[in-house]
Amino acid sequence: MTVVVLAAPTVPVLLAGLWWVVCAVPLAFIDAQVHRLPNVITMPAAAGVFVLLTIGAAVTDRWEPLLSATICAAVATAVFVSTGLVLGRRGMGLGDAKLILSMTALLGWWGWGAAFGAVFLGLLGAGFVGVVLLASGRMRRGDHIPMGPFFVAGAVVMLALLA
């Protein structure tokens, strides 16, 4: 939570970041346990982030960051949904796409680099852990890694870099 406080330029953006963290931390633990990102948390996370960022844009009368956040979230979510639909069980799940929606909306406030940097860091972390698990024999080819914890970690690292 400290990184959100340090990175946020305004109170509504701070509240959006805190709301996302409050939703994302349980999602990371749930995904790690049962490989699911439930709608009951992912959808309110996205709605809350968008509402609070919209309030932030209205308060500051700066709509460009909100437009950036919306476009980042739309593009990233479309890519993840498309990948999930095309690859089926071999690709990302739709829960991951819903987590990406709120995550890239929040980080998109700071621009494309922050939003897609967080996604990249999450994918990089998951790839590294996957290689280590494969090399150690704790995982076999075709096994699934829960991506939620890695995306949340990537977002937190990116927020720390922004702070």
Side-chain angles (χ1 to χ4, degrees), residues 103 107 114 117-119 121-122 149-159:
M103 183 181 94
L107 288 160
V119 172
L121 289 171
F150 295 101
F151 288 134
V152 170
V156 170
V157 168
M158 187 54 65
L159 284 167

Side-chain angles (χ1 to χ4, degrees), residues 25-81:
V25 169
L27 283 171
F29 283 103
I30 291 167
D31 197 21
Q33 287 286 352
V34 297
H35 291 245
R36 296 272 183 257
L37 291 164
N39 288 342
V40 72
I41 304 173
T42 55
M43 298 315 283
V49 166
F50 276 109
V51 166
L52 290 164
L53 291 180
T54 301
I55 292 169
V59 167
T60 61
D61 197 29
R62 291 187 56 235
W63 296 94
E64 296 85 14
L66 179 62
L67 179 62
S68 172
T70 303
I71 293 171
C72 287
V75 169
T77 303
V79 167
F80 274 77
V81 167

